Amino acid sequence: MSLLSCFGRKSTNHQYEDYIDFIDMNNTDLADVPLHIFLYERTLEKLLLSSNHIKDLPSPLFHCVQLKVLHISDNRLEHLPKAIGSLVNLVELDVSRNYLSTIDENIKNCKKLSILNLSANPIAIFPIPLTQVLSLEELCLNDTQLEFIPANIGRLINLRVLELRDNKISQIPKAVSRLMQLYRLDIGQNDFIDFPTAISDLYGLHELWIDSNDIVDIPSEVSNLHELWYFDASYNRISKIDQDIQYCSKLKDLHLSFNNLKSLPNSMKHLHDLVTLKVDHNCLKQMNGIFEGLQCLEELDASYNCLETLSPTVGLMRRLITLRLDANRLTSLPTEICSCRSLRELSLRSNNLSCLPDGIGSLQNLVVLMLTQNKITNLPLSVLKLKNLNALWLSENQSKPLTPLQNDYEDETGKHILTCYLLPQREESYMEIKDRSNKPVKTNARIRFTEDSGLEEPGNLMRVPTPHPKKMRAFAKMLLERKKKNNELSSEFDKQLSAEIDNCTIIDQEAEKMEQLYQMKNCMIEPEKMYEPKVNTQRVPPPYHIAAAYSKQVAFFNNENLS
């Protein structure tokens, strides 16, 4: 990449080189700041040097008095020079993901600094000089090993964003209540046990993250946050929510996942502007009385709870787009759910459902219907009206999202139904249970072999009626034909084998006869030599002239004794 391609310039009538105001050298494998970029120190306003290998900042950098934006994140800086205070026009400084342990006190001379990101640095102690930068509007100190926030932070009255995520903070000073301009506060992934009461005085707060702590309840003080529209309290130990949460009337996103909630306050029905509600992975047994007021709700996730019934008032949520009720104890669905005409995703996985409401076909916008791990025997005929349905999941081992359905007649009810080879549903090869952390755990069934059947406890096998007799009859016919063919092949093989055995027997008999004749021939000896003692003499080869004569008169030598 050429150097000029990294530069930007203002449209003026002056020379091009004199008016470079923007240089982008992110991710260019730099070990040092290139010195030739300081040729534009009088006009340079924005310098991006992130994702490199820079260890030090050269002194010419601090002569760029017009510099407003400086990004040096994801490098190898171990300190900021004292000359940082000479950048009097600096507005935004990003030095996150470095090795900074301290911040020089001269940073207080950056009177216009409004955005400062120090995240992912081993700072450990809150930099006191930052409390003197009164112009700060955004301060990010995520993942900096902080344990304590000083009371002097209350001096930053212009602060609108304060991020303290992923630290070791357990308390917030009361001085935080002075930050009346605060718009977003993130204290997630810390060590809070109680809800910080100082937060309740931040009347202008719009976004609040307190997730991944050890907070046990949401007190009534939260009712003071009238402007709050985003609230994330997931991954805590919350078992109680005060009724006064209804006064957070502008709340749109409420996240309460992975807690110990056994019930929700009925006053939540007054959160008329609520758009997203996530209460999955709790211990809820019922959600009655809150749906009737949530008419703007678009997403509801109540998976992994203990719900046995679903309130008929669910049909009042006409704007509902996503409904997840996985891993509960539902045995049936109310007919009123068919009034949620905007529903696009309906997930009912791992329940005890045996059927669906007949009016399910009125959900014309439904795209995904998840029904795996239930006890459904058939589907209502109205499912054919779901023209936008792209996925109908009936089994975990289903190869395609949509399976052809066949029209059938049920004698017991006298209704036309839909069925397929996946119905009635069988017990899956695994089930999901909850551990102490409320997280799903998949326990696989073992594969048992015939040889090892005596080593393990016998399983309870159940015979399931065959869903498709025609296919099974065809399959049985094919097996019979294959068996018959194998029998014919085996009979032919037996005939060939017996013929080969007979041939081998005849050959053996003939060989035995030849052996007997050979032995009889060897036993024929002249009578005069029959009683002579046998003398084992070595056979000596004949002389050359005798051998030559033997080759010419073989018949003569056959009758002579060479010895």
Side-chain angles (χ1 to χ4, degrees):
M1 182 171 59
S2 64
L3 184 61
L4 291 179
S5 64
C6 303
F7 296 167
R9 65 185 180 93
K10 295 180 180 179
S11 56
T12 63
N13 295 325
H14 298 275
Q15 295 294 326
Y16 173 77
E17 290 79 7
D18 295 336
Y19 281 87
I20 298 294
D21 67 327
F22 170 53
I23 298 178
D24 183 358
M25 302 193 74
N26 287 335
N27 199 16
T28 51
D29 202 24
L30 296 175
D32 298 293
V33 179
L35 297 179
H36 52 262
I37 68 175
F38 304 122
L39 298 173
Y40 318 105
E41 62 181 13
R42 295 182 180 181
T43 57
L44 190 61
E45 296 182 0
K46 187 175 182 179
L47 178 59
L48 307 181
L49 297 170
S50 299
S51 301
N52 286 292
H53 310 286
I54 300 172
K55 295 182 179 180
D56 296 300
L57 298 178
S59 55
L61 173 64
F62 305 102
H63 298 159
C64 302
V65 292
Q66 300 299 324
L67 195 62
K68 296 180 180 180
V69 178
L70 177 59
H71 287 188
I72 327 174
S73 64
D74 196 11
N75 278 281
R76 300 181 181 180
L77 297 178
E78 296 183 359
H79 68 281
L80 285 178
K82 294 183 178 182
I84 188 70
S86 62
L87 301 177
V88 293
N89 290 311
L90 193 63
V91 175
E92 182 177 345
L93 175 62
D94 186 355
V95 288
S96 59
R97 298 191 299 277
N98 279 283
Y99 302 98
L100 302 176
S101 57
T102 58
I103 304 298
D104 193 270
E105 62 179 0
N106 287 338
I107 198 172
K108 64 184 179 182
N109 296 326
C110 301
K111 301 296 183 180
K112 296 182 180 180
L113 187 62
S114 62
I115 301 175
L116 177 60
N117 191 349
L118 296 171
S119 300
N121 280 288
I123 295 176
I125 300 176
F126 190 94
I128 300 299
L130 297 183
T131 61
Q132 301 180 36
V133 187
L134 304 182
S135 58
L136 274 179
E137 295 182 4
E138 295 186 17
L139 177 59
C140 299
L141 288 165
N142 303 317
D143 189 17
T144 51
Q145 304 176 16
L146 294 180
E147 298 181 3
F148 176 74
I149 303 297
N152 292 344
I153 197 173
R155 300 181 59 184
L156 305 177
I157 57 175
N158 294 314
L159 205 60
R160 291 181 54 81
V161 176
L162 177 59
E163 296 184 3
L164 301 170
R165 172 173 291 272
D166 196 8
N167 284 290
K168 302 176 182 179
I169 305 170
S170 58
Q171 293 182 348
I172 286 184
K174 294 182 179 179
V176 170
S177 59
R178 301 176 188 172
L179 308 178
M180 302 304 297
Q181 302 296 325
L182 202 62
Y183 180 91
R184 180 169 75 241
L185 175 62
D186 187 352
I187 55 173
Q189 289 183 263
N190 279 282
D191 297 333
F192 290 96
I193 299 176
D194 299 318
F195 185 87
T197 55
I199 296 178
S200 59
D201 295 329
L202 302 175
Y203 304 116
L205 196 65
H206 285 65
E207 303 175 18
L208 175 60
W209 277 268
I210 60 171
D211 59 287
S212 302
N213 284 282
D214 294 322
I215 298 174
V216 295
D217 66 340
I218 304 297
S220 59
E221 286 80 4
V222 73
S223 61
N224 296 333
L225 306 178
H226 301 297
E227 300 296 324
L228 192 66
W229 67 269
Y230 186 96
F231 185 25
D232 189 349
S234 56
Y235 292 94
N236 279 281
R237 298 182 181 180
I238 299 173
S239 58
K240 181 183 177 182
I241 300 177
D242 195 270
Q243 295 280 348
D244 290 341
I245 195 174
Q246 62 177 320
Y247 297 112
C248 301
S249 55
K250 295 185 178 180
L251 202 60
K252 293 185 177 181
D253 288 78
L254 179 58
H255 299 254
L256 298 169
S257 306
F258 290 93
N259 280 288
N260 299 325
L261 292 170
K262 295 183 179 180
S263 62
L264 297 176
N266 292 331
S267 61
M268 286 182 60
K269 65 184 178 181
H270 298 295
L271 301 177
H272 301 302
D273 294 338
L274 198 63
V275 176
T276 301
L277 175 60
K278 294 186 177 183
V279 290
D280 56 288
H281 293 87
N282 279 280
C283 304
L284 297 175
K285 295 184 178 180
Q286 55 87 20
M287 296 181 66
N288 299 330
I290 67 170
F291 294 147
E292 57 189 23
L294 306 181
Q295 298 179 1
C296 293
L297 197 67
E298 296 181 1
E299 181 180 359
L300 173 60
D301 190 349
S303 302
Y304 296 95
N305 281 282
C306 303
L307 298 176
E308 296 180 355
T309 59
L310 189 63
S311 174
T313 55
V314 69
L316 298 176
M317 298 186 293
R318 303 298 176 86
R319 298 184 182 180
L320 194 63
I321 297 176
T322 302
L323 177 58
R324 300 188 186 96
L325 298 170
D326 302 331
N328 280 283
R329 301 174 183 175
L330 298 175
T331 56
S332 62
L333 294 177
T335 307
E336 289 78 5
I337 197 174
C338 303
S339 299
C340 303
R341 303 297 177 86
S342 301
L343 204 60
R344 292 176 57 85
E345 179 185 348
L346 177 58
S347 186
L348 301 165
R349 178 174 175 267
S350 188
N351 279 279
N352 295 320
L353 298 174
S354 58
C355 61
L356 295 180
D358 291 336
I360 195 74
S362 60
L363 304 178
Q364 294 295 316
N365 294 313
L366 196 62
V367 177
V368 177
L369 180 56
M370 173 69 77
L371 299 172
T372 60
Q373 297 187 40
N374 279 281
K375 299 178 181 179
I376 295 175
T377 56
N378 55 65
L379 298 175
L381 194 63
S382 60
V383 171
L384 297 177
K385 297 180 181 179
L386 303 176
K387 302 300 182 182
N388 294 317
L389 193 65
N390 291 334
L392 174 59
W393 297 105
L394 299 172
S395 173
E396 297 291 341
N397 298 324
Q398 190 172 329
S399 59
K400 295 181 180 180
L402 286 177
T403 301
L405 301 174
Q406 289 84 31
N407 194 344
D408 203 350
Y409 183 79
E410 190 175 25
D411 295 332
E412 297 179 0
T413 60
K415 294 181 180 180
H416 287 278
I417 59 173
L418 295 175
T419 185
C420 67
Y421 73 97
L422 297 173
L423 297 177
Q425 288 181 332
R426 306 177 183 179
E427 292 185 3
E428 302 291 345
S429 59
Y430 68 89
M431 64 180 181
E432 288 190 354
I433 60 176
K434 296 181 182 179
D435 62 358
R436 295 181 181 179
S437 61
N438 290 332
K439 296 181 180 179
V441 179
K442 186 179 292 185
T443 58
N444 294 325
R446 295 181 182 178
I447 299 176
R448 301 188 179 187
F449 298 93
T450 306
E451 292 80 0
D452 301 332
S453 59
L455 302 178
E456 298 183 2
E457 297 180 1
N460 296 324
L461 300 179
M462 297 180 62
R463 189 176 297 277
V464 180
T466 304
H468 287 284
K470 293 183 179 180
K471 292 185 178 180
M472 297 304 294
R473 283 198 295 268
F475 183 69
K477 184 178 180 181
M478 180 188 69
L479 290 179
L480 290 174
E481 292 178 354
R482 183 179 296 177
K483 184 177 180 181
K484 183 178 179 181
K485 185 177 180 180
N486 290 338
N487 291 336
E488 292 177 357
L489 292 175
S490 61
S491 61
E492 292 179 2
F493 177 77
D494 293 338
K495 291 179 181 179
Q496 294 178 0
L497 183 61
S498 60
E500 290 179 1
I501 292 174
D502 294 338
N503 293 334
C504 292
T505 304
I506 294 172
I507 293 173
D508 292 339
Q509 292 176 356
E510 293 179 355
E512 187 175 358
K513 291 180 180 179
M514 294 296 293
E515 182 69 17
Q516 291 176 358
L517 292 174
Y518 180 75
Q519 292 178 359
M520 289 175 64
K521 183 178 179 180
N522 291 337
C523 292
M524 293 177 66
I525 306 175
E526 295 181 1
E528 61 270 19
K529 296 182 179 180
M530 183 175 298
Y531 298 103
E532 290 182 3
K534 295 182 179 179
V535 181
N536 294 330
T537 56
Q538 272 192 348
R539 188 175 180 181
V540 180
Y544 176 75
H545 63 278
I546 297 177
Y550 178 81
S551 63
K552 294 181 180 180
Q553 297 180 3
V554 177
F556 173 79
F557 282 96
N558 284 335
N559 297 322
E560 294 296 328
N561 189 0
L562 297 178
S563 59

